[in-house]
Amino acid sequence: MEHYFSQNGLTACYTDTAITLFWDKPAAAGAVETYTILRNDTVADTTTKTHFTLEHLLPETEYTLFVQWRGGGIGELTVRTTPTKHWLDVAAAPYNAVGDGKTMNTAALQKAIDDCTENECVFFPAGVYLTGALRLHSNMELYLEEGAVLQGTADPEDYLPRIPSRFEGTEMECYSSLLNLGTLDHAAGPNCENVILRGKGTIASGGKLLASRIIESERERLKEYLAQNADLVSTCENADTIPGRVRPRLVNMSNCRNIWMQGLTFANGASWNLHMIYSDQIVTDHCTIKSDGVWNGDGWDPDSSTNCTLFACEFCTGDDAVAIKSGKNPEGNVINRPTKHIRVFDCHSGFGHGICIGSEMSGGVEDVKIWDCNMSVSTSGLEIKATKKRGGYVRDVEVRDCTLSHVMVHSVGYNDDGIGSAVPPILENFRYERVTLLGRYIDHDHLWHSCPAIELCGFDVPGYEVKNVRFKDVVLEDNNGPAQSIQMQNCQNVSLENITVQAGTQPE
């Protein structure tokens, strides 16, 4: 059953009684604007956000929605709410799952999922439901009420069998994730569609303990390989990098389309939390993603995926809050599936690395728009990164009305294995407008350090400089850091317009 509709500049995700609208911030909009939402030609409400949820609607009813602002109309669309679904209560017969945090419920929960039709919803009442890996299918919904926790174990055996996946840009077999949607195939389109994960509960996994157990098991399995490739191991971030690549995600979406995640807390994947690969139309809103303390614990990772939208989310992560990727050389260059049409807005970082593009970007990344985000409490702020070997490109990235620890567009030397592309990556066409840059970052020990507010560093090959970068109406905070707040090397056509410096204060 479809729950996603986009037309005339507006997009809606909807259920039987609610419609969530969202739209791009207009090019002429100021830092703060007021938008008016009309429902059937009557004013429903106003908002200063670029999203709005209408609630308490009638099932199977048509609503015409129009959003306008001082510059005119944003767009109009007509949506028909869905029929009310029958709920399959996992704690009731015939499933009888036990929410005591001790009883293993994998078989019961999988049975409920398998039974779920497009007119039904798998319902989790309050309780802690311990489980291993679960496999979802097209045209289904999970709803977790407040106090409900879908809790993955910390036992690697509960995440078998391994499945085809992609990690750090390379296709490989990894442990099954807690929730698995779709089957990986880089030469094909979607094979899992129209899935909703929503509610007020939590989906969590075994986190740091599960990760360490898998890493040690894989280190033993790869003992001979690691010994024979000591030079390769020495170039990795640490000794866990290679054996850690098989760790499961919290939610793995391969070859998916039209997946909507709303209202939930996602916590403590053994590696990345929400990972979409070769997928399209993935919407995540009003969620909290937590993985502080989990090494390499990214939050939201679109990977060779398109039309992915993230908004109104809170992050406290052990690595990137958002990591936009498209494969790693040489495989990513050959598969050549770019990530494009990515929107991130109204998001906040309580801790983590912030928003990153790369370093696995060999398939290309383009048309990324980020606005109304606060990534001040982060390690990287907003970072675009690639190694010289990657090939591919990152282009057409627009950042507006954000507060960031700092901005980086640069070449990096880590995660640099793999046969190199014939040419370096192309990094071009970046616009930063009305951003505040702290010139400070927070490390993994929650300690603050001064840093350049802006770092641009291209490749030392003619034609592969960082090109066409514009900073306009930017505030640099003065925190008595390095004398050079703006660092540039191997750049071409960089403009700085209306740059001001003000006294800075350390974020709370």
Side-chain angles (χ1 to χ4, degrees):
M1 182 181 295
E2 290 277 355
H3 56 257
Y4 176 104
F5 182 61
S6 187
Q7 186 180 68
N8 301 327
L10 289 181
T11 302
C13 289
Y14 49 93
T15 64
D16 57 339
T17 61
I19 301 172
T20 296
L21 287 173
F22 52 95
W23 56 93
D24 280 7
K25 194 167 193 174
V32 179
E33 297 286 352
T34 298
Y35 305 92
T36 301
I37 292 87
L38 288 85
R39 184 180 73 193
N40 298 338
D41 296 324
T42 301
V43 173
D45 213 329
T46 62
T47 181
T48 58
K49 309 287 189 181
T50 54
H51 58 88
F52 188 81
T53 298
L54 296 98
E55 299 179 301
H56 311 298
L57 305 178
L58 298 175
E60 300 183 80
T61 302
E62 199 169 85
Y63 293 92
T64 297
L65 304 171
F66 181 76
V67 178
Q68 64 183 22
W69 69 302
R70 63 177 175 83
I74 297 290
E76 181 181 73
L77 53 69
T78 299
V79 172
R80 184 177 179 82
T81 51
T82 67
T84 298
K85 296 180 179 180
H86 171 65
W87 284 17
L88 304 177
D89 187 336
V90 299
Y95 310 113
N96 300 314
V98 180
D100 61 0
K102 300 176 183 178
T103 304
M104 278 295 287
N105 294 289
T106 309
L109 300 181
Q110 188 63 60
K111 171 65 172 164
I113 289 167
D114 292 345
D115 287 350
C116 187
T117 69
E118 68 175 353
N119 299 313
E120 295 173 314
C121 171
V122 179
F123 172 70
F124 289 78
V128 179
Y129 299 88
L130 195 63
T131 183
L134 299 169
R135 303 178 196 287
L136 279 59
H137 58 81
S138 293
N139 302 307
M140 67 165 297
E141 179 175 351
L142 297 187
Y143 186 94
L144 283 73
E145 75 170 7
E146 188 170 3
V149 181
L150 179 58
Q151 178 63 61
T153 76
D155 184 350
E157 295 295 315
D158 293 326
Y159 299 88
L160 293 175
R162 297 191 188 200
I163 59 170
S165 188
R166 188 193 222 187
F167 193 73
E168 292 189 338
T170 302
E171 291 188 2
M172 60 187 300
E173 286 201 339
C174 297
Y175 280 79
S176 295
S177 299
L178 181 63
L179 297 183
N180 302 271
L181 292 76
T183 302
L184 191 81
D185 185 350
H186 65 250
N191 52 52
C192 181
E193 303 180 284
N194 308 326
V195 178
I196 302 175
L197 309 176
R198 68 184 181 103
K200 298 180 180 180
T202 297
I203 297 175
S205 190
K208 188 174 182 179
L209 180 57
L210 175 60
S212 64
R213 287 173 172 173
I214 286 175
I215 288 169
E216 291 312 309
S217 173
E218 188 70 0
R219 194 191 320 277
E220 181 61 29
R221 189 179 77 88
L222 296 177
K223 186 175 182 180
E224 186 174 329
Y225 171 84
L226 295 173
Q228 292 174 351
N229 292 273
D231 289 344
L232 171 61
V233 173
S234 69
T235 66
C236 295
E237 179 183 349
N238 58 49
D240 293 342
T241 297
I242 294 176
R245 288 172 176 166
V246 298
R247 289 169 296 149
R249 288 358 78 82
L250 180 62
V251 181
N252 183 92
M253 293 159 274
S254 296
N255 290 79
C256 288
R257 188 189 72 87
N258 198 16
I259 311 299
W260 182 22
M261 295 165 280
Q262 184 184 59
L264 297 169
T265 294
F266 294 96
N268 298 327
S271 59
W272 304 341
N273 286 275
L274 306 180
H275 187 197
M276 53 290 286
I277 317 165
Y278 311 138
S279 294
D280 183 55
Q281 285 180 203
I282 311 296
V283 178
T284 309
D285 66 277
H286 297 87
C287 292
T288 298
I289 302 178
K290 301 190 296 187
S291 60
D292 187 10
V294 178
W295 168 70
N296 200 220
D298 289 1
W300 188 83
D301 289 26
D303 189 352
S304 288
S305 292
T306 53
N307 300 300
C308 297
T309 304
L310 171 76
F311 62 94
C313 289
E314 296 282 329
F315 290 89
C316 186
T317 54
D319 208 293
D320 302 335
V322 174
I324 300 169
K325 304 173 179 292
S326 67
K328 184 175 178 179
N329 54 284
E331 183 180 282
N333 305 117
V334 174
I335 291 174
N336 193 32
R337 287 187 65 155
T339 290
K340 54 187 177 181
H341 316 316
I342 306 299
R343 302 293 184 263
V344 178
F345 53 98
D346 192 23
C347 290
H348 176 263
S349 169
F351 185 72
H353 288 192
I355 299 173
C356 295
I357 301 176
S359 63
E360 305 95 67
M361 36 59 67
S362 298
V365 176
E366 61 186 294
D367 185 25
V368 177
K369 293 186 178 180
I370 300 163
W371 66 90
D372 296 346
C373 289
N374 188 327
M375 296 286 146
S376 55
V377 185
S378 70
T379 303
S380 302
L382 202 153
E383 180 182 23
I384 299 170
K385 55 184 175 178
T387 78
K388 197 172 183 179
K389 290 182 177 180
R390 286 286 186 265
Y393 58 86
V394 178
R395 62 188 179 218
D396 302 328
V397 177
E398 180 182 284
V399 183
R400 288 195 290 163
D401 302 310
C402 293
T403 301
L404 310 165
S405 58
H406 55 144
V407 162
M408 296 180 283
V409 181
H410 61 163
S411 57
V412 296
Y414 53 84
N415 192 13
D416 198 34
D417 53 313
I419 300 169
S421 171
V423 294
I426 295 171
L427 305 177
E428 63 182 6
N429 304 339
F430 309 125
R431 178 187 174 101
Y432 304 85
E433 184 171 352
R434 293 192 302 265
V435 298
T436 297
L437 305 177
L438 274 59
R440 297 173 67 88
Y441 72 91
I442 194 168
D443 67 16
H444 284 198
D445 297 319
H446 294 246
L447 299 175
W448 286 91
H449 305 271
S450 297
C451 65
I454 297 172
E455 179 193 339
L456 306 178
C457 180
F459 300 97
D460 58 353
V461 176
Y464 293 92
E465 302 87 355
V466 172
K467 291 180 284 191
N468 306 330
V469 185
R470 183 183 185 188
F471 291 90
K472 181 181 179 183
D473 301 332
V474 174
V475 174
L476 307 181
E477 291 200 349
D478 180 8
N479 286 295
N480 300 314
Q484 197 174 35
S485 293
I486 301 174
Q487 294 187 356
M488 291 188 286
Q489 184 177 0
N490 298 321
C491 299
Q492 186 179 96
N493 193 25
V494 178
S495 68
L496 301 116
E497 180 181 341
N498 193 26
I499 310 299
T500 60
V501 179
Q502 68 180 27
T505 56
Q506 182 171 303
E508 296 294 329

